[in-house]
Amino acid sequence: MEINRDTGIKERLSKFKKSLPDHITLVAVSKNHPTELLLEAYNAGQRIFGENRAQEMSIKQKKLPKDIEWHFIGHLQKNKIRLIAPYVSVIQGVDSFELLEKIDSHAKKSNRVITCLLQIHIAQEASKFGFTFDDCREMLKKEEWRKLSNINFGGVMGMATFTDNMDQVLSEFRALTDFFNKVKKEFFPDQDSFKTISIGMSEDYTVAIKAGSNMIRIGSLVFGQRD
Ligand SMILES: *Cc1c(COP(=O)(O)O)cnc(C)c1O
């Protein structure tokens, strides 16, 4: 694949990465962007990409180098799991036990372990997906998740309210960090792999980092505006 136009991704990406503290993992959110642009980011050193549609992600995965870590960041429909199970690294945004069971069974068929992040609903908007804090804790208390041997519980993920009020965003992110710390202590005390707090997008990642994020999901700031 040849790149014959200067999109400036390389410069944007390296400048952006340099501005981040070392403990922050950058997921480059490439949804709606053509494969050529992902390859450009890949050639600039980026290895972790986030997509929110199973089909789109699978098409890109087939075309691009195999050492890319694919993160599914959207709402995953149960009938799409089999499409991505053979290669996906992390499914961010798991918000029910039923979904975990289905992912586990497809992961088994592919002989893989898939990392899942528990998506928690922290925003005020009613439309976004995710467990409530209470529902997530209830699910973990039931202990059945411990039988899901092909799932690696990697941490939590959340999206703040879409607002200019950064105090509100900060307090929502902080609530999720607190929840992570409690859940870690209670249910995953010996699992180093339960470590990820995936919060922060282009508009609010600095606030997220302040609140304890260690994984940010950045789209427009790296790739420019989406169509
Ligand atoms: C699109 C998307 C992002 C990235 O959004 P930007 O504002 O472009 O950085 C992050 N997380 C999720 C879940 C998304 O759907």
Side-chain angles (χ1 to χ4, degrees), residues 9-41:
I9 282 191
K10 189 172 182 189
E11 288 69 28
R12 274 209 301 281
L13 197 58
S14 67
K15 212 166 138 195
F16 184 63
K17 275 189 175 167
K18 273 194 201 119
S19 76
L20 295 174
D22 284 343
H23 68 282
I24 304 294
T25 299
L26 170 65
V27 177
V29 176
S30 47
K31 62 189 186 196
N32 298 8
H33 289 296
T35 311
E36 290 77 10
L37 234 53
L38 280 75
L39 186 62
E40 204 174 331

Side-chain angles (χ1 to χ4, degrees), residues 35-57:
T35 311
E36 290 77 10
L37 234 53
L38 280 75
L39 186 62
E40 204 174 331
Y42 178 91
N43 287 334
Q46 183 63 26
R47 291 294 179 272
I48 306 178
F49 291 88
E51 291 279 338
N52 67 347
R53 292 210 187 90
Q55 223 127 16
E56 182 178 340
M57 183 162 91

Side-chain angles (χ1 to χ4, degrees), residues 197-213:
I197 303 173
S198 173
I199 45 175
M201 318 189 351
S202 292
E203 297 296 327
D204 57 18
Y205 76 95
T206 52
V207 179
I209 291 173
K210 207 194 257 179
S213 170

Side-chain angles (χ1 to χ4, degrees), residues 27-31 33 50-52 72-75 92 119 157-159 162 198 200-205 216-226:
V27 177
V29 176
S30 47
K31 62 189 186 196
H33 289 296
E51 291 279 338
N52 67 347
F72 189 83
I73 60 167
H75 179 69
Q92 302 200 12
Q119 181 174 358
M157 179 266 204
M159 272 182 278
F162 187 71
S198 173
M201 318 189 351
S202 292
E203 297 296 327
D204 57 18
Y205 76 95
I216 59 176
R217 309 177 309 270
I218 304 293
S220 41
L221 222 54
V222 169
F223 292 108
Q225 287 307 320
R226 289 178 291 273

Side-chain angles (χ1 to χ4, degrees), residues 17-179:
K17 275 189 175 167
K18 273 194 201 119
S19 76
L20 295 174
D22 284 343
H23 68 282
I24 304 294
T25 299
L26 170 65
V27 177
V29 176
S30 47
K31 62 189 186 196
N32 298 8
H33 289 296
T35 311
E36 290 77 10
L37 234 53
L38 280 75
L39 186 62
E40 204 174 331
Y42 178 91
N43 287 334
Q46 183 63 26
R47 291 294 179 272
I48 306 178
F49 291 88
E51 291 279 338
N52 67 347
R53 292 210 187 90
Q55 223 127 16
E56 182 178 340
M57 183 162 91
S58 300
I59 290 169
K60 289 172 174 172
Q61 189 269 339
K62 283 197 184 77
K63 292 186 189 163
L64 287 165
K66 296 300 169 253
D67 61 340
I68 288 176
E69 242 186 63
W70 293 95
H71 286 222
F72 189 83
I73 60 167
H75 179 69
L76 183 57
Q77 288 167 299
K78 294 191 180 79
N79 62 356
K80 296 287 165 63
I81 300 170
R82 63 174 174 78
L83 257 186
I84 65 172
Y87 69 87
V88 69
S89 290
V90 182
I91 299 178
Q92 302 200 12
V94 175
D95 63 0
S96 74
F97 183 72
E98 292 67 42
L99 189 56
L100 283 166
E101 278 183 310
K102 289 243 159 62
I103 294 169
D104 183 63
S105 105
H106 281 281
K108 268 194 189 83
K109 280 180 206 152
S110 296
N111 229 332
R112 304 185 65 238
V113 172
I114 296 175
T115 295
C116 290
L117 305 186
L118 301 168
Q119 181 174 358
I120 313 291
H121 180 107
I122 54 172
Q124 307 241 291
E125 288 120 31
S127 64
K128 285 181 185 162
F129 295 100
F131 285 105
T132 64
F133 288 127
D134 286 346
D135 288 348
C136 187
R137 186 178 284 278
E138 280 309 302
M139 189 274 289
L140 292 170
K141 268 192 185 150
K142 283 187 188 138
E143 304 282 332
E144 280 179 75
W145 56 273
R146 294 192 193 272
K147 296 181 205 146
L148 306 176
S149 52
N150 290 62
I151 289 192
N152 170 44
F153 286 81
V156 298
M157 179 266 204
M159 272 182 278
T161 302
F162 187 71
T163 172
D164 289 336
N165 183 347
M166 286 301 146
D167 290 337
Q168 182 183 347
V169 170
L170 181 63
S171 81
E172 289 172 359
F173 282 155
R174 281 208 169 122
L176 184 52
T177 304
D178 287 348
F179 180 77

